[in-house]
């Protein structure tokens, strides 16, 4: 979901519609958002701050100072903290203050400090909504770049029927998700990511494998999804769980299974990041029974596995972006460049086992990105989540 992990400031104004904001808070939290609620003084007459603090799992903010400690609730820090600010309900009074820069409470001060996208859901009676001053103030907010969530039509608190009802909480959630998804750099793009090891069977209980955990590939899949891509993750054996609910996961075991899955899904992908540590060789013959330990020596004939990255490079069409990985121990950059050119990649991500903190299983990595024009960018040791951000920035640059 697009709201997962988002830091959201929810402003609640004095309005009978503020009861809907309690449901809205619950839905935002359910969607995975981190919510902080700012209430105006009048809003607390309609719904108790305790309701919002319980639903948001965070103290409600309503004044410049915390009453119990006297500490300052910094509107500047709040404005910088948020990924988006949502005012629901937005009363005619608060809309007018926003439009004309009146800063007489914590909500209006935070609004003026916010650097994030701002959404507002008006709620007022029919005559107030239709008044020329309200229309002018709403237009001003639109010119500021604020995004209006249109009010609904129906029975109002006065008994009149018409426009002015705050949009329903479920509709607001859908509006936000649609707005966020279409504004992301990879919106509408389909991405394929491979991750983890492959296990090549020797007999029913033994296999040839490697130490890959899949952490790097999983982090890349998560970041691509955050940037709006529709992600398919093909994962070898891994105990990792995905956080993003919008990622489709396909579990495989062997290199043959991974090759088959890539062959199926690569043609429909705009972006493919091949980060899996695929076995280079597999047993030529697989025993149907467990091999007994009858002698002090044991021989096995191996054959090459399908070169999945090379096959993708052959299948690649104009407009597709293909990224490979190179884990090296010697002549790192020369070997990476050879792989980059041979396999028709747009760029290659190089990491070396000689770098402390890089490689399999750990939570950090140190990479160098080399593109098809041999431009080289070296990065310091970072968490794999931050490395994924660097890789995805490079991808969005190519897009």
């Amino acid at each position: 979901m697009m709201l997962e992990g988002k830091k959201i400031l929810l402003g609640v104004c004095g309005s009978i519609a503020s009861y809907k904001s309690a449901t809205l808070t619950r839905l935002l939290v359910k969607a995975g958002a981190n919510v902080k609620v700012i209430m105006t003084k009048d809003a607390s007459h309609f719904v108790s701050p305790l309701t919002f603090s319980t639903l948001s799992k965070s103290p409600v903010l309503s004044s410049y100072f915390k009453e119990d400690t006297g500490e300052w609730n910094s509107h500047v820090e709040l404005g910088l903290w948020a990924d988006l600010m949502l005012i629901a309900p937005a009363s005619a009074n608060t809309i007018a203050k926003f439009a004309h820069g009146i800063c007489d409470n914590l909500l209006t001060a935070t609004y003026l400090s916010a650097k994030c996208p701002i959404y507002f859901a008006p709620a007022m009676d029919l005559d107030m909504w239709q008044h020329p001053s309200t229309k002018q103030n709403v237009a001003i907010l639109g010119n500021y770049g604020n995004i209006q969530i249109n009010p609904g039509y129906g029975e109002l608190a006065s008994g009149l029927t018409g426009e002015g009802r705050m949009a329903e909480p479920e509709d607001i959630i859908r509006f936000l998700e649609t707005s966020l998804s279409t504004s992301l750099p990879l919106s509408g793009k389909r991405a394929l990511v491979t991750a983890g090891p492959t296990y090549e069977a020797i007999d029913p209980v033994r296999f040839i494998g490697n130490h890959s955990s899949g952490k790097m590939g999983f982090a890349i899949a998560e970041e691509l999804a955050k940037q709006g891509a529709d992600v398919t993750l093909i994962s070898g054996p891994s105990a990792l769980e995905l956080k993003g609910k919008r990622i489709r996961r396909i579990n495989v075991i062997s290199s043959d299974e991974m090759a088959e899955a890539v062959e199926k899904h690569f043609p429909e992908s705009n972006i493919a990041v091949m980060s899996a540590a695929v076995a280079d060789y597999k047993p030529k013959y697989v025993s149907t029974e467990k091999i007994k330990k009858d002698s002090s020596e044991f021989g096995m004939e191996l054959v090459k596995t399908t070169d999945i990255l090379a096959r993708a490079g052959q299948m690649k069409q104009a407009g597709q972006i293909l990224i490979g990985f190179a884990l090296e121990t010697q002549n790192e950059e020369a070997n990476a460049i050879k792989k980059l050119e041979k396999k028709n990649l747009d760029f290659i991500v190089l990491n070396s086992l000689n770098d402390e903190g890089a490689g399999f299983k750990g939570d950090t990595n140190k990479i160098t990105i080399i593109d098809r024009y041999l431009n080289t960018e070296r990065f310091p040791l970072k968490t794999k989540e931050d490395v994924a951000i660097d890789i995805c920035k490079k991808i969005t640059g190519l897009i």
Side-chain angles (χ1 to χ4, degrees), residues 93-302:
N93 182 48
T94 295
I95 289 173
K97 290 179 179 181
F98 286 169
H100 298 285
I102 297 172
C103 181
D104 62 354
N105 60 44
L106 182 61
L107 178 58
T108 54
T110 303
Y111 168 82
L112 291 175
S113 301
K115 305 296 183 185
C116 59
I118 296 173
Y119 298 78
F120 65 103
M124 63 197 74
D125 213 85
L126 175 63
D127 293 333
M128 298 173 71
W129 176 242
Q130 292 182 339
H131 196 279
S133 64
T134 301
K135 290 183 177 181
Q136 182 179 17
N137 291 334
V138 168
I140 290 172
L141 295 191
N143 290 334
Y144 291 163
N146 301 164
I147 302 164
Q148 178 185 315
I149 303 174
N150 293 333
Y153 182 95
E155 185 178 351
L156 305 170
S158 65
L160 297 174
T161 299
E163 276 193 343
R165 292 167 59 96
M166 186 180 108
E168 297 303 315
E170 294 81 4
D171 293 332
I172 292 175
I173 294 293
R174 282 192 288 270
F175 186 98
L176 292 175
E177 290 184 334
T178 300
S179 177
L180 290 172
S181 65
T182 55
S183 66
L184 292 171
L186 297 181
S187 176
K189 302 298 182 183
R190 288 173 292 192
L192 176 67
V193 180
T194 64
T198 62
Y199 290 173
E200 311 303 324
I202 298 171
D203 62 21
V205 297
R206 301 182 180 91
F207 60 84
I208 297 172
N210 57 61
H211 295 296
S212 174
S213 64
K215 288 181 179 180
M216 191 70 255
F218 274 62
I220 292 169
E222 299 274 11
E223 184 59 28
L224 287 169
K226 288 179 183 178
Q227 296 302 319
D230 179 10
V231 181
T232 297
L233 173 67
I234 302 172
S235 174
S238 174
L240 298 176
E241 295 292 335
L242 286 165
K243 299 174 184 175
K245 298 176 183 177
R246 298 172 60 249
I247 300 172
R248 176 172 54 166
R249 178 173 177 174
I250 300 171
N251 292 319
V252 299
I253 297 175
S254 68
S255 59
D256 287 342
E257 291 177 353
M258 185 170 284
E260 182 181 352
V262 170
E263 187 103 9
K264 178 179 179 181
H265 294 284
F266 178 75
E268 66 191 28
S269 301
N270 305 108
I271 303 157
V273 183
M274 303 297 192
S275 64
V278 182
D280 295 317
Y281 293 91
K282 64 180 181 180
K284 186 173 184 179
Y285 304 104
V286 179
S287 175
T288 58
E289 303 291 339
K290 180 182 176 183
I291 299 171
K292 295 297 182 181
K293 189 168 54 177
D294 294 330
S295 62
S296 59
E297 295 183 359
F298 174 72
M300 183 191 311
E301 188 175 357
L302 300 176

Side-chain angles (χ1 to χ4, degrees), residues 14-48:
S15 166
I16 189 64
S18 58
Y19 78 91
K20 292 183 179 180
S21 299
T23 301
L24 179 59
T25 302
R26 181 180 62 82
L27 292 176
L28 288 169
V29 172
K30 186 177 179 180
N34 184 359
V35 182
K36 290 185 179 181
V37 178
I38 304 176
M39 299 181 71
T40 64
K41 182 179 178 180
D42 287 340
S44 63
H45 294 303
F46 292 91
V47 181
S48 166

Side-chain angles (χ1 to χ4, degrees), residues 45-59:
H45 294 303
F46 292 91
V47 181
S48 166
L50 179 61
T51 299
F52 287 106
S53 64
T54 302
L55 292 170
S56 68
K57 302 178 178 62
S58 182

Side-chain angles (χ1 to χ4, degrees), residues 351-367:
N351 52 295
S352 170
L353 284 178
N354 295 319
D355 292 326
E356 186 177 351
F360 290 143
K361 291 190 176 180
D363 294 324
T364 57
N365 205 356
K366 184 179 180 182
I367 67 165

